[in-house]
Structure formats: C-alpha cells, structure tokens
Amino acid sequence: MSRYHQFQSGPTPAQNPRSSQKLSTRRELYERDFPVYKQAVEVGCFSLDSERRFFNDSRRMKYYVEPDRNPNFDLRDGYKDRYIKRDDSEKEKLDHILRWILANKSKLSSKVTAASSCAFDFDFVTWRGHLTKLLTTPYETHEGWLLAVSRFRGTLYVSEVETEAARREQENRTERHKEMMYWGYKFEQYTCADDVHSSPDPGGVVNTNEEFCTVVQSRLADHRLLFSGEVDCRDKDPNAPAPPACYVELKTSAEICTPKQRSNFHRFKLLKWWAQSFLPGVPRVVAGFKDEEGVVVTVDTFPISKISQLIKNEHNCWKPTVCMNFCCDFLSFVKQIATEDNPSVVYLFSWEPRRDVTFSVHRDSQYSFLPHWFVEEMTRSQDSHRQP
C-alpha cells in the first residue's frame, strides 16, 4: 500500500489545497530497514541573552557538574521570587537560525558553485524540535501539529505554527503545571556551572530567555539537513570529545515506584528523550527523578545508544526505525508538494492523531514566516556571487 496517494487529476494542488495527496502515519508502513542517517556534525552555535538578543558565539554555554546520586534538590526553590520567564506569546519562528545563517554565509556558501540557484547546500532548514515532533508522530495520540514550509532558493524552510489546541492548553495551564515546568529549569541550575572552574549557583535567578544552541548538519537518506536545537550543557572534562558528542541533555521525571510507571516511562518518556537527542548526536540524558513535592531523590544517566535495548522487552513499544522512516518519508512528501520557489508561498502541513498528514497552500498569508531582512540579504549576496 502506498504511503502517499499520488495526485491523479483535477486542479493542481496550488489551486485546490484539498487535493487527494496525503501521507499516512500508520506504523506498519514504516517497519522497514533503518534509513541511512549520517551522524550530525556541528557547524556552529549561537547564544541568546537574558533579553533574547542573538550572539554568534558560545557565551551562554553551561558546564555539567555531576551531582550526588541522591541529591535532594528542592526544585520549588526560587519559583516565586527568582524566576524570569520567557514570553511564550512572542513567536520567533526560524528567526534565530536565519540570523545564524546570515552571520555564517561565507562558511556555508563556500561549498556551492556560483552558478547554482541554491543559496546553500541544504534541502531543509528547521529547528531540532520540529524534527523531533515528526519522529514521534506515528506514536503520538494526543497532540497534532501544523508545519509551515516555504521553498526559497532551492532550500525548504520548515517552521511550526501553533495549533488551536496548543494555544488553548497554554491559556488554561494550572498554577501547578506552570510550577512543574519551572522544575526542569531549576534542575539545570543545580547541575550546571557557568564555566569550567566554577560551581552551580542554585541561589541565582532562573531566566528562561537565556539559551545556548548548537547548529548541526546531517543527512537522512537523500535529505540534507541543517537544524538547530538548544543544548543544556557540555561535559567539563577538557579531554571530552568535540561537540556534539560532549553535550548533555538534562531532564526531570516522576520517580518510578511501580512496574506500570516503569512501563509508561519506557513507552512515552524515553521515546521523546531518544528522538530529541538522537538527531543532533547528543550522547546522553541525565535525569533527575523527583517526588510529588518536587524534590529530586535520585539521578540517573541514559546513554542514547542504549535506549533501544531498554525498551525491547516492552510489549507493543515504539521502534526507532518507524520514527526515522516516517520522518524520512515526510521530508520526501514535502519535496514533492512544496515546489514553488517563493518565500511568500507557504505550504501548510497539518496532522491530527489517527489521521493522515494533509496540506493546504497559502499566498501572502498570515502563515508567511521568512522575514524580509533574510530574503533580501540572501538574494543580494547570491546575486553578487553571480556577477562575472
């Protein structure tokens, strides 16, 4: 059975966004050999400061300091009085990655011949989090997604659009939910130092505007990818391998007291953790397991390469090969659909659990996300490259 139904006849997809082209998310269709995935290579990084200003450097990098196995960290500490929370209503789309691309144009375009119409040598530019959503789609039963795609100078840019359900969920968050979101950031504060020689400062302010992001390139089958994702910290050992292999992802999770809780942890938490870290080549997740009161009672390390072993005895559990094959086929589907090279045309891909992926096409709409400053600068520099 075909994973996507070819468009047969009738109006073109651009005229009729409700064409018959769809992509199935049925798991059994993706149980094939694991697709070729070229290990991610870091090509750069950037930092966002306490006011979300962009810097083309690693100034916001943090260093992992291993805690005791039973550290008793109080994650509630500072929530009321030492917490500056990022404004979620400010939708930044791909802007920070695009700023990084402009700041590193010469490094990226050196590989591309002057005659090429491509701005640079990538099929897709996106956030790591958007790819993570694609990897987990065949197993997701609650949250749908909307992904906006524009083709510009031969490269497909993929940016998320907030769904109505996600907007409602955010508006209706309970105080308890908001505090539990803080707990994850607080755990980072207990385990991260600002430089190699200092110690963590749990008495400081938690400011979620600050970020350090890696930018990596990689290839999934024949899809050349450039994507960026936030990194929590790096190994402070001076002999640690080069990035991204020295990076550490930090997580918190409810402590596991029953076989049912362990099974759920394997089936749901580990899927998200694996998907998020496998793509950029982050080798391990350090997890703080917390009690009901928000106190971290144990800390454990999960090497990403061992996660598929951990889950293999779970009945009807997720499979890495299904995740990667679906992501790969989705990218092929996007290439087939998003053919018009025009930054003001957006192909909006939409998915709800237990449905097929569908799409619609929008011109000069509220979905346009490539900013003028980026389009103009890329066009100008490309044209100047071509001058004899």
Side-chain angles (χ1 to χ4, degrees), residues 7 34 38-39 71 83 89 92 111-112 125 134 147 167 179 184 194 230 234-235 238 255 262 285 301 348 364 375 388:
F7 183 73
F34 201 88
K38 197 164 179 295
Q39 201 168 0
Y83 179 30
S89 66
E92 295 168 333
K111 303 179 215 157
V112 185
V125 169
L134 292 171
L147 291 172
R167 191 182 62 74
E179 184 174 351
D194 285 341
E230 187 177 1
R234 63 158 291 157
D235 195 320
E255 63 179 325
R262 180 165 303 282
V285 173
T301 298
L348 190 63
D364 302 306
V375 171

Side-chain angles (χ1 to χ4, degrees), residues 267-286:
R267 295 167 65 110
F268 305 114
K269 270 281 161 79
L270 284 185
L271 165 59
K272 294 253 166 54
W273 294 2
W274 171 84
Q276 186 182 17
S277 292
F278 176 77
L279 287 169
V282 174
R284 59 187 168 133
V285 173
V286 172

Side-chain angles (χ1 to χ4, degrees), residues 196 234-242 245-246:
V196 177
R234 63 158 291 157
D235 195 320
K236 69 192 309 193
D237 180 349
N239 301 316
C246 61

